[in-house]
């Protein structure tokens, strides 16, 4: 196996990943933080709450993430991949990368959908 070491390394990383119950999002109308581009005119007129910050939103109880993360993979299968494979091995590398991903994700169906 050309990618067996990489498969084991990726499996360790996938095991350590925990799905967050809540993702951070931009919260506007803050007194400090990053300047909100949509509130520039308000800032010129004297408004103080023209900043935004990344924060975890307040979600009602019972709304926790229970579904696995969804993963999508885009793979180039155009004719140029096989045409230039003899020169730089691009098709072989892509096949190895896809094999590494699929073998690493095997057994993690409860955490990831692909």
């Amino acid at each position: 196996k050309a990618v067996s070491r990489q498969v084991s390394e990726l499996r360790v990383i996938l095991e350590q990943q925990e799905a967050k119950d809540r993702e951070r999002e931009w919260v506007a109308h803050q007194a400090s933080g990053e300047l909100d581009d949509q509130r520039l005119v308000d800032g010129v007129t004297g408004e103080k709450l023209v900043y935004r910050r990344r924060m975890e939103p307040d979600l009602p109880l019972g709304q926790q993430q229970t579904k696995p993360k969804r993963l999508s993979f885009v793979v180039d299968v155009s004719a140029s991949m096989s045409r230039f494979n003899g020169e730089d091995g691009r098709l072989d590398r892509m096949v190895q990368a896809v094999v590494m991903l699929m073998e690493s994700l095997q057994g993690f169906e409860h955490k990831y959908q692909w």
Side-chain angles (χ1 to χ4, degrees):
K1 269 187 174 179
V3 293
S4 60
R5 183 177 58 88
Q6 290 85 356
V7 167
S8 61
E9 290 174 4
L10 187 54
R11 288 187 63 78
V12 169
I13 293 170
L14 292 172
E15 284 176 8
Q16 293 173 350
Q17 293 301 310
E18 294 293 326
K20 292 183 180 180
D21 291 337
R22 296 178 288 198
E23 297 290 333
R24 293 183 344 148
E25 62 184 33
W26 287 107
V27 179
H29 306 289
Q30 301 294 309
S32 64
E34 185 176 315
L35 185 62
D36 190 348
D37 296 342
Q38 298 176 358
R39 309 259 313 166
L40 291 176
V41 174
D42 296 334
V44 171
T45 60
E47 175 67 43
K48 302 283 186 220
L49 303 176
V50 295
Y51 297 97
R52 64 183 183 163
R53 288 190 290 167
R54 298 276 293 172
M55 301 172 65
E56 289 187 7
D58 294 329
L59 293 178
L61 292 176
Q63 284 191 346
Q64 295 182 349
Q65 179 181 345
T66 56
K67 297 180 180 178
K69 296 282 187 181
R70 292 182 184 208
L71 304 175
S72 297
F73 303 102
V74 178
V75 180
D76 185 359
V77 293
S78 64
S80 65
M81 291 298 286
S82 61
R83 185 179 311 128
F84 296 113
N85 188 47
E87 294 177 25
D88 56 10
R90 63 179 70 181
L91 182 62
D92 296 334
R93 288 193 316 272
M94 186 196 58
V95 168
Q96 289 175 351
V98 171
V99 166
M100 177 189 68
L101 283 170
M102 295 298 117
E103 286 187 7
S104 298
L105 287 167
Q106 196 171 17
F108 286 109
E109 289 81 8
H110 62 286
K111 283 188 168 186
Y112 305 99
Q113 280 185 349
W114 62 94

